[in-house]
Amino acid sequence: MLKNTNTPLIIPAARGSLCLLLALFLGACGTDAPVESGTAVIDTGKIHRWKMVTTWPANFPVFQEAPEMFAENVRIMSNGRLDINVFAGGELVPALQVFDAVSQGAVEMGHGSAYYWAGKVPAAQFFSTVPFGMEQKGVEAWLYHGGGLELWNELYEPFNVIALPIGNSGVQMGGWFNKKIETIADLKGLRMRIPGLGGKVLDRAGGNPILMSAGEVYTALERGTIDATEWVGPLHDLRLGLNRAARYYYYPGWHEPGTELELLVNKARWEGLPADLQQIVKQAAAATSAWTFSALEYLNSQALKELSTKKNVQVLPFPAEVMEELRVITRQTLEGEAEKDPEFKRVYEAYLAFQETYQPWHRLTSEALGK
């Protein structure tokens, strides 16, 4: 099982400085001779050539950039000893088969988010996002320090896969709608593209959750095949042109308050790496996590300004009554899922236990500031 090293995140100023900082931290670059590491001798000669597949389209901002940057930094810090070739969704395997490809050893690594494998591992959704759940700060506190990462890897152990956090979207937007949402009744019969536990909540509220790929979303919304869609946030929504297909842009993303991204590694191949390369992977993933969140915060703020001032978009809050009813339905949904699946129940209880400890601190800080 992958152990939590409780190592600090390193926030990069740029890609070059990121590599330099991590290289100095690890002492991993610029050596040709075997290196003593405690009682182990690190073999600096063998080259490990790996493949990583992702769930994202080619050239997808931030989400696909992040694994490519991760691979580049690992390559530099390891002096080329771990050479990772990254493939976008569909280039080597279909996007939603990433988990299976890593599990079966067809590739060594994958990049995505755990709710994409909900059909295979329902409890994994807690390591992606939970409606009305913790935001990025709370999620990563749980993962790095509250036992979440160990629990995540216990869940994946039967599949020969280990996981590492590698980014978080932050709070997403509530989605694009072609009618106003004024009461909970407006969700009944609503055909909406929405994944994960948020989709189950919509279903329980009387809506019709639909899964579809990025390439289908705009056309489906424009032609009325769906009535609404959530995607990510202003950056990616603007890129898809969703503002041309729907009138109303709602917030907040109650269904995805802090969506965690995951680095999947085939367990057998991981155990075949020397200790220094394992450490390089861990630190590069942590640094990529910091870069991903900060990049999305910056770029979403810029895109929101454009949508608000140049695209004539109506940015609206969900009514308080709708939010409160969705919160109640969320609790009912999670409890219902827990009754059906012991593993789901076990992870749900661990998530709730940490959240109950964390929430008072969150109220005294972020909530008290109105953040």
Side-chain angles (χ1 to χ4, degrees):
M1 181 175 70
L2 185 65
K3 299 297 182 184
N4 181 5
T5 59
N6 289 328
T7 45
L9 294 180
I10 300 172
I11 301 176
R15 294 189 183 191
S17 60
L18 168 62
C19 178
L20 178 60
L21 284 170
L22 287 176
L24 290 172
F25 179 76
L26 294 170
C29 296
T31 178
D32 295 319
V35 178
E36 292 289 341
S37 175
T39 58
V41 176
I42 298 168
D43 178 7
T44 61
K46 183 177 180 180
I47 297 176
H48 302 261
R49 301 192 188 279
W50 282 17
K51 296 183 179 70
M52 177 197 289
V53 291
T54 82
T55 58
W56 320 113
N59 304 313
F60 196 53
V62 183
F63 288 94
Q64 181 64 19
E65 287 180 280
E68 291 171 354
M69 184 180 71
F70 162 82
E72 177 186 353
N73 288 329
V74 168
R75 186 179 303 114
I76 293 170
M77 288 186 288
S78 68
N79 274 342
R81 291 168 50 230
L82 181 52
D83 187 5
I84 303 167
N85 196 6
V86 181
F87 297 86
E91 289 182 343
L92 197 61
V93 301
L96 297 184
Q97 293 181 20
V98 166
F99 186 89
D100 289 338
V102 177
S103 174
Q104 295 163 10
V107 297
E108 289 81 10
M109 282 183 162
H111 187 284
S113 191
Y115 58 17
Y116 290 133
W117 341 122
K120 184 178 295 291
V121 195
Q125 293 172 99
F126 286 98
F127 304 102
S128 179
T129 190
V130 179
F132 294 100
M134 292 184 288
E135 299 170 26
Q136 179 257 358
K137 294 186 295 181
V139 169
E140 294 191 349
W142 178 49
L143 293 177
Y144 284 112
H145 302 285
L149 184 55
E150 288 84 356
L151 190 58
W152 195 354
N153 281 290
E154 286 176 18
L155 196 65
Y156 280 179
E157 190 168 4
F159 300 94
N160 193 36
V161 170
I162 64 169
L164 284 169
I166 197 168
N168 192 290
S169 73
V171 183
Q172 297 193 10
M173 287 293 283
W176 296 86
F177 295 76
N178 273 315
K179 69 172 185 178
K180 285 190 174 181
I181 305 300
E182 297 176 332
T183 71
I184 198 73
D186 292 325
L187 297 179
K188 294 189 183 300
L190 187 83
R191 298 166 299 172
M192 182 175 183
R193 185 270 177 196
I194 180 171
L197 292 169
K200 289 187 177 295
V201 173
L202 178 66
D203 181 66
R204 197 177 186 103
N208 182 16
I210 297 169
L211 290 178
M212 58 178 58
S213 67
E216 303 172 283
V217 171
Y218 174 83
T219 301
L221 189 60
E222 182 186 45
R223 294 179 179 177
T225 305
I226 57 176
D227 307 306
T229 185
E230 63 79 47
W231 187 229
V232 183
L235 169 67
H236 295 93
D237 295 359
L238 181 60
R239 182 182 174 90
L240 278 186
L242 297 178
N243 57 291
R244 300 194 304 271
R247 299 176 62 188
Y248 307 113
Y249 196 24
Y250 274 91
Y251 71 92
W254 59 270
H255 63 298
E256 298 201 41
T259 305
E260 193 70 24
L261 306 176
E262 66 180 356
L263 176 67
L264 300 170
V265 189
N266 178 272
K267 186 178 180 182
R269 298 304 299 271
W270 173 262
E271 292 173 347
L273 284 182
D276 69 319
L277 293 185
Q278 289 183 353
Q279 187 67 7
I280 285 173
V281 168
K282 291 178 185 178
Q283 294 303 316
T288 303
S289 185
W291 178 86
T292 298
F293 177 71
S294 59
L296 286 169
E297 289 290 285
Y298 170 73
L299 294 169
N300 277 326
S301 69
Q302 299 299 306
L304 178 62
K305 181 179 180 181
E306 182 174 349
L307 283 168
S308 302
T309 60
K310 298 179 182 179
K311 302 297 183 181
N312 198 31
V313 170
Q314 294 190 50
V315 182
L316 303 171
F318 287 114
E321 296 81 3
V322 171
M323 290 289 284
E324 187 54 39
E325 292 191 62
L326 284 171
R327 190 184 296 275
V328 171
I329 295 170
T330 293
R331 185 170 60 251
Q332 295 169 346
T333 301
L334 294 175
E335 290 172 355
E337 294 297 307
E339 289 176 1
K340 297 186 293 186
D341 183 341
E343 283 294 287
F344 190 100
K345 181 179 181 181
R346 182 168 76 100
V347 179
Y348 180 35
E349 289 175 349
Y351 183 95
L352 282 181
F354 183 85
Q355 187 178 28
E356 288 172 4
T357 300
Y358 171 76
Q359 200 63 29
W361 169 246
H362 181 68
R363 290 193 191 102
L364 291 176
T365 53
S366 296
E367 284 187 15
L369 286 168
K371 303 289 185 180

